[in-house]
Amino acid sequence: MRKKRNHFLLLVPYLTVSILPLVLFFAKGIQSLINSETVKTMQLMDQRVIVLLLKTIFYSFSVAFLVLVAGTFIGIGLMSMHKAYRKFFMGLLILLIPLPITIHSLIWMNIFSRFQWMPLTGWGISVLVQTVAWLPLGTLIIYDAMTKIPKGLIEVGQLFSNDLKVFFKIWLPQSKTGMKIVTLGVFLMTFNDYSVPSTFAVTTFPMEIFASYSISLNAGDAMITSLPMVFLGFGLALPLMNSIKKQFFSGPSTRDDTFIQEIALLNKYLSKITMLIILLIIVLPLIALFQNTRFSSFSLMNDGGYEILATLWICFGGGLLALPIMILAALFIVHHNNRHSFILLLILLPTLISPALIGAALIHLMNRPIFREIYLSHLMGMLAVMIRFMPFGVLVIVAGLKRIPEDYMAVGYMTVKNYKKPLTRILLPLAIPSIVIATGMVFLLGIGELGTSVMVLPPGISTITVRIFGYLHYGATELIAEVSIVVIAIIFIIEFVLYILIRKGFKSLRIGGRYDSSK
Amino acid sequence: MIRLSKVSKYYKAGFPIHDFSYTFENNKKYVISGPSGCGKTTLLRLIAGLDSLDAGEIYRGETLIGKVDYQLHPSKRSIGMVFQKPTLWPHMTVRENIEFGSKVSEVNEIASTLKIHDILDKYPDEISGGESKRVALARMMVLKWRYLLLDEPLTNIDSELKSEIVSFIHRYVEKNNTTLIYVTHHEKEASMIEGKRILF
């Protein structure tokens, strides 16, 4: 009798690339801690570190809360817009998602520097930059949740109450999954990031890991330092995972974003205010950035041309190498129908811990003679991009696969006697848009990768984000404004190409397909 | 034959089947009828291997094909099924949908029988609901099945065409010695099939 196959092999490439370095690093850390004085005397954290930890938690919570409030407001505003405007403004928000956080830092540094009374360092500007950086993604996730509510729930409510009450009593509470994802996700991302705080002379907890490993290269020290972050990450992972499953892995869904347009009070003002906010967070900073450049001095090759090419190569390589690994991991998750929460937790692990820790783990694994060629090459950057952003790509592909009605494959399996044809002729063609988005996402997010790259890139190799980060510590100069404009242009062009590919190219080739529930 | 022994299937929010036993003999026709939501479709999905069992066993002949923790893959059961919804692959033309599982091209013959010959090169989103149902029937019935499960196959189809399709189903079943399990909640449709009635 043939037992159900586990298909565990599908997961091996992902675990090898993303999880193995971390496991080995932690194993080494535990080994070096066994006889360590730190453990013997149980002095794991001193008072300074505890205060720093609490400060960082408060800082991250502030950012998460602001993104939640602003994202919900803009999400409602998007729903209240006319369809054509909504498409346009959502497009603008999508454009902003992959913008490197260093460029956000530069932009706001630029704006603040025009006003003498505005502080260029400190918690305030740091919270603002993080909030603006996460706002586009946060808004779109909340909007997604708000438009996925079954129409029936609203219609039943309308039998009893007026539209405004239905909105606040049914619609908003029903969107809480998306709000939970945004709050927990932004909290974790902010908590793990050290690049923005360090730019604005703010010390946060992840910098301790960066500092402790950079100084001693001791896995034990870095591990001990990172423990509170790891515990916090894992503690929040379960509710985050459940919310992600609920919102994105729940199969085909219908959307309804028309209801709010029937609420006159909201419809009258909200859409205009939202348009204004989106334009403010996009147009104003871009104008400020352009004003700070003189294109006559634009000597790209000298000012960062090499780094731009290196960045594109690293991100292209990272995206391409990640592609098969992400597809296999996504197939595993879909095949097991989300039953293994532990596996999903493993896949999300790199997003739950600090990029500095990933950097330390990669160095620990690769800094040995057998991997010398890799350690001194662009591959280190590619690995950093892959480890950090593959989890997002896997989630996107899983969501894409989940949208394909199960019966499509069931019919395929009935009519042919092998696995290959339904997989290659039905599942993969229908999943191509999500696969392309996932790969594009790894590529685009890779451009802004900093936390790990700054540690793992060998001497002589740098990405443009690392270079901008380095320059930022000397203030918002004209030079980095010019380079940043080029990076923004590259990101926008790639996003435009992806859009054309998905909306026009695939549609004409009928790849992807729309799922009509009546057919 | 297909033998179900004390089969149970429960859903959080669905139509349960509890301790159901029955034997579907070879070369016979069965019509399962009952009100909406009584578990007719669930039963077909269990037989086809699309859902797992919570209790009981399913045999094809003497071969165990399903029990708790064991499922013979749908492709290995020699059981065809036409779903309530047509589930046509949206990226393939009607012809490609029908040809998917067949090597010998009998597409034209079945297409003219089911009156879909003029839409063969269209995509699913370019045809009507009734045409989609007929394409779904054609896709499954272009192949020879030992067992064929039809779940409300005539919904959305014009009444004039219904009798033609029913006689086509009869011819198919006799020609291929197929065991037919036909699910419907329409009394008139059930009487057209002339099979053994099972009330759910």
Side-chain angles (χ1 to χ4, degrees), chain B residues 12-158:
Chain B
K12 275 182 195 163
F15 318 117
I17 290 178
H18 178 67
D19 217 16
F20 181 77
S21 296
Y22 197 83
T23 301
F24 296 97
E25 300 290 346
N26 283 344
N27 310 333
K28 295 238 168 99
K29 286 178 266 186
Y30 296 87
V31 180
I32 302 177
S33 54
S36 295
C38 64
K40 304 184 295 288
T41 299
T42 305
L43 180 72
L44 294 195
R45 292 181 69 86
L46 291 173
I47 295 172
L50 301 173
D51 283 337
S52 58
L53 291 163
D54 290 332
E57 289 163 352
I58 299 177
Y59 294 87
R60 192 194 58 212
E62 293 306 312
T63 314
L64 178 68
I65 56 172
K67 65 170 192 172
V68 182
D69 294 335
Y70 171 72
Q71 286 256 86
L72 184 68
H73 195 270
S75 63
K76 306 224 164 28
R77 293 188 177 209
S78 303
I79 298 174
M81 178 171 169
V82 176
F83 295 87
Q84 214 166 346
K85 285 178 185 169
T87 56
L88 303 182
W89 300 306
H91 59 302
M92 296 184 201
T93 61
V94 166
R95 183 186 294 280
E96 286 166 339
N97 263 280
I98 299 171
E99 281 178 346
F100 185 82
S102 58
K103 281 179 186 166
V104 186
S105 184
E106 291 173 332
V107 175
N108 290 335
E109 190 188 327
I110 199 163
S112 43
T113 309
L114 293 172
K115 303 215 168 12
I116 49 171
H117 50 282
D118 51 350
I119 56 163
L120 283 175
D121 294 322
K122 289 189 174 176
Y123 285 93
D125 60 358
E126 296 167 342
I127 61 177
S128 72
E131 286 169 334
S132 301
K133 287 289 268 192
R134 280 179 277 151
V135 174
L137 270 169
R139 179 174 61 184
M140 214 37 84
M141 293 175 77
V142 76
L143 301 166
K144 290 180 176 56
W145 295 103
R146 192 76 192 81
Y147 305 94
L148 183 62
L149 319 178
L150 303 182
D151 189 2
E152 309 267 9
L154 301 185
T155 320
N156 284 342
I157 291 178
D158 296 339

Side-chain angles (χ1 to χ4, degrees), chain A residues 151-163:
Chain A
K151 203 173 181 177
L153 293 181
I154 307 298
E155 287 168 346
V156 172
Q158 283 177 308
L159 297 177
F160 302 103
S161 311
N162 64 44
D163 283 351

